[in-house]
Amino acid sequence: MKSPKPVILDFYADWCGPCKQLGPLLEKRYSDADGKWIFAKCNIDEFKELAQAMGIQSIPFVVLINEGQIVDSFSGLLPEKQLDEFVQKAADLTSH
């Protein structure tokens, strides 16, 4: 995945409770980011091959991609402070 901006990619499923909690939290932070990074979502039930290729074993699973490389990732639902720190990494990559 090549993009001119950092990408936060959220792997989720419609049946996943923690995914339903995390999604709106990421969407809110994206709307506040002033276009510094890109937010994308991938439903693992619709894109099984991609989820398998990424080695995803639990969801939600979120990756930060910059210049085609995975820079950071997390699995599960993070406390908001840690989520803010993760999102800040994407914003910081934009300024480089």
Side-chain angles (χ1 to χ4, degrees):
M1 174 184 291
K2 287 281 188 177
S3 169
K5 296 180 182 178
V7 176
I8 292 180
L9 178 56
D10 176 20
F11 289 91
Y12 75 101
D14 292 332
W15 47 262
C16 169
C19 298
K20 291 178 184 178
Q21 292 176 277
L22 180 61
L25 296 174
L26 287 169
E27 289 166 9
K28 166 83 169 86
R29 283 153 178 81
Y30 174 66
S31 68
D32 294 342
D34 296 324
K36 291 180 182 164
W37 47 275
I38 296 169
F39 179 54
K41 295 177 67 101
C42 179
N43 184 325
I44 64 162
D45 291 329
E46 294 176 14
F47 296 95
K48 292 178 182 168
E49 298 83 15
L50 179 57
Q52 289 173 343
M54 294 286 296
I56 296 170
Q57 300 195 7
S58 64
I59 53 172
F61 184 75
V62 180
V63 294
L64 171 56
I65 302 167
N66 190 50
E67 298 179 355
Q69 300 294 316
I70 295 175
V71 176
D72 201 357
S73 65
F74 70 88
S75 183
L77 189 59
L78 293 181
E80 290 209 32
K81 183 176 188 283
Q82 286 179 285
L83 185 59
D84 288 339
E85 291 168 357
F86 183 85
V87 168
Q88 186 60 46
K89 289 178 191 175
D92 289 347
L93 288 169
T94 303
S95 61
H96 290 132

